[in-house]
Amino acid sequence: MTEQRDADSPSTDSQQLSEPTDTITKSVDNSWTNRIAGVWNKATTRLTQLLPVEQLGQTVVEWFSVSEDQVAEILEKVRAELPTTEALLIGKPQAGKSSIVRGLTGVSAEIVGQGFRPHTQHTQRYAYPSNDLPLLIFTDTVGLGDVKQDTQAIIQELVRDLQQETHSARILLLTVKINDFATETLRQIAQQLRHQYPNIPCLLVVTCLHEVYPRDTVDHPAYPPDDQEVNRAFAAMQQAFVRITNHSVLIDFTLEEDGYTPVFYGLEALRDSLAELLPQAEAQAIYQLLDQEEAGKQIGNLYRDAARRYILPFAIMSATLAAVPLPFATMPVLTALQVSMVGLLGKLYGQTITPSQAGGVVSAIAGGFLAQAIARELIKFIPGFGSAIAASWAAAYTWALGEAACVYFGDLMGGKKPDQQKIQLVMQEAFQVAQQRFKGIKR
């Protein structure tokens, strides 16, 4: 009777009803968690037996390890189609030759200084954006104005350089400071080169205009400058080279700390002068390089065209591996595959990196996509179509990662700090486009 009364007791019912339900929920959650963990552990063990992930990952990396010869072959084909301009910079030190390079390429003074490499005894060469895929090649003469240097030796080296066959357009750029009238050596070199190579155009570039500005001048005047001293000196320079040059232009390319605005005074005039003297394709390339909206885009597209030859097979292989139905089964393999891809793209952009460094690049540019990757892997629990979704997603993700890596390495090549926001935007846009491209891709 006591048990019955206790069972029917209102106080007992009230106590049972007042117990919090979260204890029961936690118990159920823990139960499901334990069951899932058990299935997970069994699946992982089974997968390890059936699919040696580390060995397969290494195999995949080896499959997609491209030899130096293969890379060189692709770059050679692309390079042969480039509208490359070779500019021979002939002038004394401090005449503004490096400033011309900065103005035409947009890279920093430090990068320009590091980019020049010895070419011959009296010349240095700088290829932009790289030696493998150059749009502009600058050859800078050194030693002009030094009485110890043999002028004829300098001329002979330049002649030997010009004798080399090339598909590139060539132009001579004679750089002279506006207040330097000791130009006999420069005129002698230019005269002999024009005599032997009359078809190579020659542009007289008169630089450092601010050195003859009136003392109270604090900034550049409107271009072209209407200054008596500038006009007088420029006319004298034109007369000195009248039978040698095809055209002449005034510029003053300074550093930001010099305080003159704009920094590249006369850049548009230089661009237009080059366009008059160069073939159409090369002139158009220079216009695109100097377009503030398009400069990085044009170079980026050029490199991506070469890079996409590798990104596509990596994306397809990612889809094949991602189609394995067990969640997270192929994540190590996909990671190895994508790290290998990024390492290869780095090589195309002139950045030699180790696999660990490539993994760091992947982590840096992937951002929030990692969480999405894990979510997509969990979709594989859905029977029937989970693996197909994961496969197409893996292909799109790999493609987007490759596109983002191109932007990352492109910034490094240009001497800039990679713009994380821009990289993320490129990756998101590339991923959306690639999703449609790889939609329904099958194993």
Side-chain angles (χ1 to χ4, degrees):
M1 294 295 293
T2 302
E3 292 179 0
Q4 183 64 35
R5 283 196 301 271
D6 291 341
D8 295 337
S9 170
S11 61
T12 303
D13 290 343
S14 175
Q15 183 179 357
Q16 290 176 344
L17 290 174
S18 64
E19 288 182 352
T21 58
D22 59 346
T23 301
I24 300 175
T25 303
K26 290 180 180 178
S27 177
V28 173
D29 287 345
N30 290 335
S31 177
W32 274 101
T33 301
N34 292 335
R35 291 172 62 184
I36 292 174
V39 173
W40 180 272
N41 292 332
K42 290 181 180 179
T44 304
T45 302
R46 178 63 174 164
L47 174 66
T48 303
Q49 296 173 350
L50 297 177
L51 181 63
V53 175
E54 293 184 2
Q55 181 179 352
L56 181 56
Q58 182 62 37
T59 301
V60 170
V61 172
E62 291 176 358
W63 285 345
F64 286 89
S65 294
V66 181
S67 69
E68 293 289 340
D69 292 339
Q70 289 174 303
V71 173
E73 181 180 356
I74 289 179
L75 294 182
E76 182 64 30
K77 292 179 180 178
V78 176
R79 185 165 53 244
E81 300 173 358
L82 292 181
T84 302
T85 297
E86 293 186 20
L88 276 75
L89 301 166
I90 304 176
K92 296 180 184 179
Q94 307 302 318
K97 293 177 290 182
S98 295
S99 296
I100 292 176
V101 178
R102 286 194 299 113
L104 293 178
T105 63
V107 300
S108 65
E110 292 77 11
I111 297 298
V112 171
Q114 296 171 6
F116 274 100
R117 294 289 183 270
H119 178 56
T120 63
Q121 182 180 355
H122 296 99
T123 64
Q124 295 177 334
R125 178 164 286 184
Y126 173 49
Y128 175 80
S130 77
N131 289 317
D132 290 326
L133 294 175
L135 283 181
L136 294 172
I137 299 175
F138 299 95
T139 299
D140 181 15
T141 51
V142 295
L144 284 179
D146 186 345
V147 294
K148 298 180 181 179
Q149 296 293 340
D150 185 352
T151 301
Q152 287 302 317
I154 297 176
I155 295 174
Q156 291 173 4
E157 288 185 6
L158 292 174
V159 168
R160 285 196 295 269
D161 197 27
L162 293 174
Q163 286 175 341
Q164 301 296 322
E165 292 187 5
T166 179
H167 298 291
S168 304
R170 285 168 165 167
I171 188 168
L172 302 176
L173 298 183
L174 307 184
T175 59
V176 188
K177 294 179 66 173
I178 195 166
N179 55 357
D180 181 9
F181 291 95
T183 59
E184 180 57 32
T185 300
L186 177 63
R187 196 179 66 82
Q188 180 183 356
I189 292 175
Q191 192 172 34
Q192 290 196 34
L193 292 177
R194 290 306 307 280
H195 177 72
Q196 291 188 249
Y197 300 96
N199 294 328
I200 298 179
C202 183
L203 176 64
L204 174 64
V205 185
V206 180
T207 67
C208 303
L209 308 185
H210 67 276
E211 294 190 8
V212 298
Y213 286 167
R215 290 185 178 181
D216 58 347
T217 303
V218 296
D219 210 347
H220 293 304
Y223 194 92
D226 186 15
D227 179 84
Q228 182 177 358
E229 183 62 23
V230 170
N231 292 336
R232 183 195 65 79
F234 187 39
M237 289 293 181
Q238 289 175 311
Q239 182 61 35
F241 292 91
V242 64
R243 299 185 181 278
I244 299 174
T245 59
N246 299 96
H247 196 66
S248 56
V249 64
L250 287 167
I251 68 169
D252 195 351
F253 294 176
T254 57
L255 298 173
E256 291 185 0
E257 53 264 32
D258 294 330
Y260 288 95
T261 304
V263 171
F264 297 114
Y265 180 65
L267 179 59
E268 292 79 9
L270 175 61
R271 176 199 64 191
D272 294 341
S273 298
L274 291 172
E276 289 183 17
L277 301 177
L278 291 172
Q280 182 177 1
E282 285 75 6
Q284 183 63 27
I286 290 178
Y287 267 95
Q288 291 173 342
L289 284 174
L290 297 182
D291 189 321
Q292 297 301 317
E293 297 290 332
E294 296 294 325
K297 185 184 299 182
Q298 293 297 328
I299 293 295
N301 286 343
L302 176 69
Y303 273 80
R304 280 184 222 175
D305 286 343
R308 282 169 180 157
R309 303 184 188 214
Y310 296 111
I311 296 176
L312 179 58
F314 275 94
I316 294 174
M317 181 57 70
S318 296
T320 302
L321 296 175
V324 176
L326 293 176
F328 298 100
T330 54
M331 286 297 286
V333 181
L334 288 176
T335 300
L337 182 65
Q338 290 158 356
V339 165
S340 179
M341 177 187 71
V342 169
L344 175 59
L345 295 177
K347 182 182 294 186
L348 289 173
Y349 280 79
Q351 302 288 328
T352 301
I353 57 178
T354 64
S356 61
Q357 290 172 328
V361 172
V362 173
S363 300
I365 65 181
F369 272 79
L370 180 59
Q372 297 181 43
I374 295 175
R376 283 295 181 182
E377 287 291 310
L378 292 175
I379 289 178
K380 291 180 180 179
F381 280 117
I382 303 175
F385 64 90
S387 294
I389 295 176
S392 61
W393 188 93
Y397 170 72
T398 302
W399 180 273
L401 181 64
E403 292 279 2
C406 290
V407 178
Y408 178 90
F409 290 125
D411 283 346
L412 291 180
M413 178 183 296
K416 299 181 295 183
K417 180 180 179 180
D419 187 336
Q420 188 66 26
Q421 185 176 0
K422 180 180 70 173
I423 292 172
Q424 286 291 302
L425 181 60
V426 167
M427 189 165 186
Q428 291 172 9
E429 292 177 350
F431 179 72
Q432 292 174 1
V433 174
Q435 273 187 312
Q436 295 300 317
R437 178 174 186 175
F438 298 110
K439 186 177 182 180
I441 190 171
K442 296 181 179 180
R443 182 182 174 186

